Amino acid sequence: MKETRQAARRRRHRFRLLTVTPVALITAAALVCLVVAFRPGQQADAGHAADATAAGSRGTATSERAAPSRSASPTATRTPGTTASPSSTARTAPARPSASATSRTAATGASQAGRIRPGIGYRGVATTYDAGTGDGACSFGPSDDVMTAAMNHTDYETSKACGAYVRVRAADGASVTVRITNECPLPCAPGQLDLSAEAFAELASPSAGRIPITWKLLSPGVSDTIAVRYKTGSSRWWCAIQVIGHRNPVARLELRTADGWRRLPRTDYNYFLAEDGAGCGGTIRITDIYGERLTVGGIAVRPDTVQPTRLQFARH
């Protein structure tokens, strides 16, 4: 009987061990995980990893934004212009008496047009005025050419339209080509052309007075070459320069100085002005709205004298 009671106690002890041991093992494992998770520096390391990932993402985005700016940097935009550097424009034709030395630089392909752009059709009205001797705000002087027009103030654009050839078409299909020699002041509206009486008569009866039109810039065939004129009063201390007889509208005029090419501001009377005289009498570079540059040397400061060159802009 004694042995039976002892055997029973041993069986109960083994049962408690079998029951307690798995619970203890599970508890111990949980304690180990907690110790590992909360050991010093563990949380900080996780935070740095997250920050590093975020920083890497921001760096990649910044690089992507920076790439377009590199392709559009000042250096990149100046690259086409290097073909017109002093060394590359030194190709001059042999000089001859009373003729200027000239050279040509190919068009860059980038239009420098302002409001009046090649290939664009414009809509407005045509009115008429007495063009008189053919002179006007463009300061070309008297002319026998009666197929002329005054451009409205907005599209005149501080004389940028001067010398432009435009094809004007009436609603019934009648058309005429005119050269811009004058400005039609306000209230002439954008798109409006004030035609010489002779040009208006090609489209409608003079009694109509005002008709709807469409018009477009031309790059016509011309027999003349470009000429340059210094304004009355010009000298080596002050000068104003005008371009005459150009096929395409002139976008800019520059003078070569000791510091390089100097772009001159344009006046509303169609002269390019060098108020301090720097570059006056030196080499001139003329650019049309298609980006073609013509370099002209040997043009002395002779006020109010038309001096021809041997160059003309290409036809488009």
Side-chain angles (χ1 to χ4, degrees):
M1 178 64 70
K2 183 177 178 180
E3 291 179 356
T4 301
R5 287 197 295 270
Q6 288 178 347
R9 283 197 298 271
R10 283 197 296 269
R11 284 196 299 271
R12 288 195 296 271
H13 180 68
R14 283 198 300 270
F15 177 78
R16 285 197 298 271
L17 286 175
L18 291 172
T19 304
V20 171
T21 300
V23 175
L25 289 174
I26 293 172
T27 303
L31 288 173
V32 170
C33 291
L34 289 173
V35 169
V36 171
F38 289 99
R39 75 177 185 270
Q42 180 66 24
Q43 187 172 3
D45 291 342
H48 285 310
D51 289 344
T53 302
S57 300
R58 287 194 295 271
T60 301
T62 301
S63 298
E64 290 173 355
R65 289 194 296 270
S69 66
R70 285 196 298 271
S71 64
S73 64
T75 301
T77 56
R78 284 198 300 270
T79 300
T82 57
T83 59
S85 63
S87 60
S88 64
T89 56
R91 295 175 290 114
T92 57
R96 66 186 185 191
S98 71
S100 59
T102 59
S103 69
R104 179 191 297 273
T105 299
T108 63
S111 174
Q112 299 191 51
R115 288 183 57 86
I116 303 174
R117 305 185 66 83
I120 304 297
Y122 297 88
R123 187 178 302 275
V125 297
T127 49
T128 183
Y129 79 111
D130 182 3
T133 63
D135 199 3
C138 293
S139 306
F140 289 134
S143 173
D144 294 332
D145 180 12
V146 295
M147 295 300 169
T148 59
M151 181 63 71
N152 67 84
H153 171 77
T154 303
D155 295 326
Y156 183 77
E157 201 174 1
T158 316
S159 78
K160 198 166 187 175
C162 285
Y165 289 87
V166 296
R167 185 73 167 174
V168 188
R169 192 175 298 276
D172 64 359
S175 64
V176 64
T177 298
V178 295
R179 185 169 67 104
I180 304 303
T181 61
N182 209 343
E183 176 186 5
C184 184
L186 295 173
C188 280
Q192 182 173 348
L193 293 175
D194 207 17
L195 304 178
S196 67
E198 293 83 358
F200 189 91
E202 294 291 317
L203 302 178
S205 169
S207 61
R210 182 184 183 94
I211 60 171
I213 57 166
T214 57
W215 54 273
K216 182 180 291 189
L217 182 69
L218 295 182
S219 178
V222 293
S223 58
D224 294 337
T225 56
I226 286 174
V228 173
R229 175 164 56 195
Y230 278 93
K231 195 177 188 304
T232 301
S234 292
S235 68
R236 61 177 179 169
W237 296 282
W238 178 95
C239 70
I241 307 171
Q242 181 185 57
V243 184
I244 303 171
H246 43 89
R247 171 185 277 125
N248 307 319
V250 172
R252 66 168 65 187
L253 185 144
E254 300 163 283
L255 297 180
R256 183 180 286 167
T257 69
D259 297 324
W261 289 108
R262 174 194 184 189
R263 182 177 180 177
L264 300 187
R266 192 172 195 162
T267 67
D268 59 2
Y269 52 89
N270 195 33
Y271 274 86
F272 294 86
L273 189 60
E275 292 189 285
D276 59 3
C280 294
T283 302
I284 301 170
R285 187 164 71 182
I286 309 162
T287 305
D288 72 0
I289 63 170
Y290 297 95
E292 183 179 8
R293 293 187 287 260
L294 305 181
T295 304
V296 184
I299 303 294
V301 181
R302 298 194 183 108
D304 204 24
T305 300
V306 176
Q307 301 185 61
T309 73
R310 292 195 291 269
L311 290 182
Q312 182 58 268
F313 291 121
R315 189 174 184 181
H316 293 268

